[in-house]
Amino acid sequence: QKSTGSMEEVFQRSLATSDFPILTSNVANKAVMQGWERADETYNTWVDTNGSVSDYKLQTKARAGEFDDLEEVKEGEEYKYGDRGEQSETFKLAKYGKLISFTREMLINDDLSQLADSASALGEAANRKLGDLCYNVLIANAVMGDGTALFAAGHGNLGTAGLPNATTMAEALKLMAYQKDIKGKRRLNIKPSYLLAPAAIQGTTEEFFQAKVWADGSTDATRPNIYYNQVQRVYETRLDDDSATQWYLAANRNTVQLAFLNGQKAPYLERKDAFKT
């Protein structure tokens, strides 16, 4: 039987056919999504991931405050116009990516699994990047639209240092409940939904929240633990890298929002021959 040529020649011919790019793209795309879904990330428990914008321009996200208090209107008097305060934050989309290659050697060695493994790791890295972005909002404690850092005395959201216990939780709950609307008309009575904490304090924190009763230095002084399973706990090692003791309370999934270009959350691949940009 006549030889059809070396594997090197097969490789060159395969580049000229439509089947080869389709085959490699299908393998890579499937592997990327497997890696994306396999990533063990915690941010999607407490973060709103439904933000969508249509371009990379500077975006403004406005928040209107509560309406003015109503006033009694006596007979013959005129109604007065009310007002609402407004705050806003700005943000821009950023693009993240890496290159992976499918080489001549990989094809000659019939090693599509190596391409799939690299693509899967790339998908996991994409999901990991989102986690980095979300937790960096807490760790960086950046200045907000009002000119004050996210966590600051001026925002009334800094509690006394200490592990979650009856004293620190009571203070944190009070600070959340005492938050006021934009114009300071009323207290918002915010209630926490999530506790975000470093993995270093998971053991003692779970002992506290899972205990139905607890004691004050004496097993005879037991009473109901009013904080029993009150909030959903999220333990994240990114927080350990910043502080092994600092923890946070979040009210709902709107505390931090991720926005995506046209709502496209999952990573995507582009295939080109020898490209870098």
Side-chain angles (χ1 to χ4, degrees):
Q1 183 177 2
K2 186 176 180 181
S3 173
T4 57
S6 66
M7 285 300 295
E8 180 80 6
E9 293 169 339
V10 172
F11 177 80
Q12 296 296 338
R13 290 199 302 272
S14 68
L15 292 177
T17 68
S18 61
D19 291 341
F20 178 71
I22 292 175
L23 172 63
T24 56
S25 294
N26 286 344
V27 169
N29 277 296
K30 183 177 180 180
V32 163
M33 291 312 302
Q34 288 175 341
W36 167 269
E37 294 168 357
R38 189 174 61 243
D40 188 16
E41 290 295 331
T42 62
Y43 70 87
N44 44 27
T45 300
W46 60 279
V47 171
D48 175 12
T49 60
N50 295 316
S52 178
V53 296
S54 59
D55 54 48
Y56 289 95
K57 298 176 182 177
L58 185 66
Q59 308 289 329
T60 299
K61 188 174 182 65
R63 180 174 72 87
E66 285 66 23
F67 204 80
D68 277 343
D69 292 339
L70 301 185
E71 297 181 28
E72 181 183 3
V73 182
K74 296 182 179 180
E75 183 177 357
E77 291 184 347
E78 295 182 351
Y79 288 90
K80 298 178 181 178
Y81 283 100
D83 189 21
R84 300 180 73 184
E86 184 179 275
Q87 287 180 342
S88 65
E89 301 293 338
T90 58
F91 68 95
K92 291 178 67 175
L93 291 188
K95 181 171 60 177
Y96 300 89
K98 284 287 186 179
L99 294 173
I100 58 172
S101 62
F102 185 68
T103 64
R104 173 183 287 105
E105 290 80 5
M106 291 166 66
L107 176 69
I108 292 174
N109 294 333
D110 192 23
D111 196 5
L112 279 177
S113 62
Q114 186 174 340
L115 172 64
D117 182 66
S118 296
S120 178
L122 187 61
E124 187 275 335
N127 211 339
R128 186 174 68 241
K129 172 55 68 174
L130 297 185
D132 292 342
L133 295 173
C134 292
Y135 283 101
N136 191 54
V137 171
L138 306 180
I139 295 171
N141 195 26
V143 174
M144 305 296 289
D146 61 359
T148 303
L150 172 59
F151 300 106
H155 283 160
N157 58 3
L158 285 178
T160 304
L163 297 180
N165 55 45
T167 301
T168 57
M169 278 297 294
E171 181 186 23
L173 291 177
K174 182 184 74 172
L175 290 173
M176 292 189 77
Y178 278 16
Q179 290 292 311
K180 290 187 176 182
D181 71 327
I182 294 172
K183 297 185 68 176
K185 293 289 184 180
R186 70 177 180 92
R187 299 196 186 276
L188 299 177
N189 198 29
I190 299 171
K191 293 178 173 58
S193 297
Y194 306 99
L195 181 139
L196 316 175
I201 65 171
Q202 180 172 353
T204 53
T205 301
E206 287 302 301
E207 286 180 0
F208 171 68
F209 281 107
Q210 292 192 37
K212 294 184 178 180
V213 296
W214 54 279
D216 279 335
S218 169
T219 56
D220 297 327
T222 59
R223 64 180 186 272
N225 179 11
I226 61 174
Y227 304 105
Y228 169 70
N229 280 339
Q230 184 179 32
V231 293
Q232 182 175 350
R233 280 86 67 195
V234 178
Y235 299 101
E236 174 54 56
T237 53
R238 290 179 178 88
L239 298 179
D240 291 74
D241 295 335
D242 177 59
S243 169
T245 58
Q246 190 163 280
W247 49 275
Y248 308 81
L249 289 180
N252 51 46
R253 289 174 65 91
N254 292 323
T255 300
V256 171
Q257 183 184 69
L258 276 175
F260 300 88
L261 186 64
N262 297 319
Q264 176 63 40
K265 302 177 186 179
Y268 66 93
L269 286 179
E270 291 182 359
R271 180 196 172 278
K272 292 185 181 181
D273 295 329
F275 84 110
K276 290 186 176 180
T277 59

